Amino acid sequence: MLLGVCMSLYYFHSFNFTNSILFFIAMLLFNMAVDMMDNYNDYNHAIDTQGYKRKTNIIGREHISPRLVLGLLVSFSVIAALIGLYLVSQVGLPLLWMGIFCFAMGILYSSGPFPMNGLPVGELVSGFTMGFMIMLISVYINIYPNFAWTWINLGKIWMVALPCELWISNLMLANNICDAQEDEDNHRHTIIHFIGQRGGLIAFVIKNVLAFLMIITAVLLHLAPWTMLLTLVIIPFVVKQTKKLIHQQVKLKTFPCAVKILLVGSLVQVVTYAIGI
């Protein structure tokens, strides 16, 4: 979202403070709702009731009321939707269609007969929705009504968003790598079911490399200031965290490596972009 604000300022020379604040609140509320929904559905649909349901899932582990979780996730979703509809009234129907898509992906991520977090498309969906669509909405609401719906414009935004998209995708990939046996026990066929843990680790490395290559490309194409190249200083950190995951795939010990890469990578990218502005 902040990367979208930076690109709106630097490349499109426009910024709308009110729209950005409202979108940030709505986005944050719905993101929390999706996380709650994920845990809620996994808790209710768990086949391994003794292990996963009671000891792993946070609802069972911390003895949280499922009704409380359901009430919170519905409340957060409704508030986010109302804020979104207000923004639609300010910037037009394209935001409605983008919002519907994001809400649909958030709900289908862990709901329905075939939730996406248990399918081999989970990484693609989460990365695209959170990495690209959120940035696209952020740019759109900041430069409306001067936003041009062209493939060239969409491609430019996608290039700047791609590092975050890849790191978000890697977050879920690392989760699935570490949960490989647990997912099999609960009949969840993630991408790891098809390519194996080794294939998942190779994909994890490739996407990290691509993320840094896209940062260089965005600067070379003048979509971002040269200061964003300073993001490359975190390469040793990313290599170190990646090696830890390759050495050991244990949820509590090495899944946080992917969290750290996403947090540090996206934060440094935004800060170095903002410094350039």
Side-chain angles (χ1 to χ4, degrees), residues 175-195:
N175 183 63
N176 288 334
I177 289 171
C178 294
D179 284 348
Q181 188 55 54
E182 187 177 274
D183 286 338
E184 292 294 334
D185 294 340
N186 284 288
H187 301 170
R188 289 156 52 93
H189 295 156
T190 67
I191 190 67
I192 303 304
H193 175 79
F194 299 94
I195 66 174

Side-chain angles (χ1 to χ4, degrees), residues 77-89:
S77 298
V78 169
I79 295 170
L82 291 174
I83 295 173
L85 289 173
Y86 171 77
L87 284 172
V88 168
S89 72

